[in-house]
Amino acid sequence: MNINIKTFDEWAQDGRDEKMASNHSKSVKRILAIINQKTNKFKTPFSFLDLGCGNGWVIREITKKSKCEYALGIDGSSNMINNAKKNKIGVFKKIDLENYKFDRKFDIIFSMETFYYLKNIDKLFKKIVKDGLNNNGILIIGIDHYKENTPSLNWGSDYNLDISTLSTHKWKEKFLLHGFKNVEHEYYGAKEDWKGTLIIMGQR
Ligand SMILES: C[S@@+](CC[C@H](N)C(=O)[O-])C[C@H]1O[C@@H](n2cnc3c(N)ncnc32)[C@H](O)[C@@H]1O
């Protein structure tokens, strides 16, 4: 089994998924505010995909929005998906993102703290552009582990994770190389040597 998924499976079993959700909540709130302020996506009927949804808390928030037609959360950890399904709100599937085959398109693809766990990040970008996003659909991701955010650099060994450490420039370059338009980024929640969540959004 993938070492990252194994680690998060354990987290979901002993309740650390809840703590993680609460640690991410301010940055996710900011991500949703960016979607609201900079796009019209929440103002017309929309579909939403959360890649690496953990215990599904973002999907539960999104389904409260009046224009939400469909919200799907996927995660490779069975225990995360079991926790997500307990609330009976939203659709959840256990899928390894490395092998994900899109069977429909979305208006918004969101991901918090997941992309750097992938061995082949470009493969997922390629699939998102080709099969995952509607025209003018957006991809928006939040990342806490990146080169400039020095307090995050030991997470691989500290938490038994296999992760890729990219710079802000390299993350943005991925959006641009895969053809995204209007690519923007910001750092949210900077404090002392913590540089903040790197949030990047691009339009297909
Ligand atoms: C740091 S957690 C973030 C969870 C959620 N987005 C949140 O903010 O609470 C990363 C999640 O990505 C999932 N993940 C990691 N690698 C994955 C892969 N290859 N396929 C599917 N899910 C994966 C883990 O199981 C975990 O739930």
Side-chain angles (χ1 to χ4, degrees), residues 6-17 20 80 159:
K6 185 171 178 289
T7 299
F8 285 109
D9 237 12
E10 289 164 14
W11 285 35
Q13 207 158 24
D14 66 18
R16 272 180 284 175
D17 56 322
M20 176 169 67
M80 287 288 182
Y159 299 111

Side-chain angles (χ1 to χ4, degrees), residues 102-120:
F102 284 87
D103 56 10
R104 60 160 292 157
K105 293 192 174 187
F106 295 85
D107 300 305
I108 303 167
I109 298 184
F110 157 96
S111 185
M112 178 65 190
E113 275 287 272
T114 298
F115 269 41
Y116 58 82
Y117 294 108
L118 300 174
K119 290 203 180 3
N120 195 337

Side-chain angles (χ1 to χ4, degrees), residues 185-197:
H185 81 282
E186 70 170 52
Y187 300 105
Y188 182 75
K191 203 174 154 192
E192 293 151 19
D193 56 346
W194 180 260
K195 200 163 164 54
T197 298

